[in-house]
Amino acid sequence: ISNPLNTKNISVIPFPSANKLLIACVARLDCAFKGQDILLQVLSMAPWTGREYHLRLYGSGPHLEYLQSLIKMYNLQDKVTIEGHV
């Protein structure tokens, strides 16, 4: 399936300095294939610990409870929410 990039500007967008970054991850909650566990681990480390962001995980799958426990373990309750399948 051909799925070419459909944009004229492919330059790197600088990280915003003052605004809260809103991130969405739309995928089946299956860490073996989608890597949400790795994403949460990275967000729990510097430099992300000092950044203003909010991650919303959209989807359903076998690792919902596991991801909820990782969010608590990494103390990301204020920065990460699981929105479910929408």
Side-chain angles (χ1 to χ4, degrees), residues 30-64:
D30 190 339
C31 298
F33 295 98
K34 302 299 182 177
Q36 293 99 335
D37 54 340
I38 298 169
L39 175 60
L40 294 176
Q41 181 181 14
V42 168
L43 292 176
S44 73
M45 299 185 295
W48 288 99
T49 54
R51 292 181 175 166
E52 288 294 319
Y53 69 88
H54 191 88
L55 168 65
R56 289 188 169 101
L57 297 172
Y58 292 94
S60 60
H63 292 145
L64 172 63

Side-chain angles (χ1 to χ4, degrees), residues 5-73:
L5 185 62
N6 188 14
T7 184
K8 293 179 183 173
N9 183 358
I10 58 170
S11 61
V12 175
I13 299 171
F15 192 85
S17 60
N19 296 333
K20 181 183 252 187
L21 178 63
L22 301 177
I23 309 166
C25 179
V26 181
R28 179 178 70 248
L29 302 181
D30 190 339
C31 298
F33 295 98
K34 302 299 182 177
Q36 293 99 335
D37 54 340
I38 298 169
L39 175 60
L40 294 176
Q41 181 181 14
V42 168
L43 292 176
S44 73
M45 299 185 295
W48 288 99
T49 54
R51 292 181 175 166
E52 288 294 319
Y53 69 88
H54 191 88
L55 168 65
R56 289 188 169 101
L57 297 172
Y58 292 94
S60 60
H63 292 145
L64 172 63
E65 291 179 11
Y66 175 58
L67 290 168
Q68 290 170 332
S69 68
L70 287 178
I71 291 168
K72 288 179 186 175
M73 183 181 83

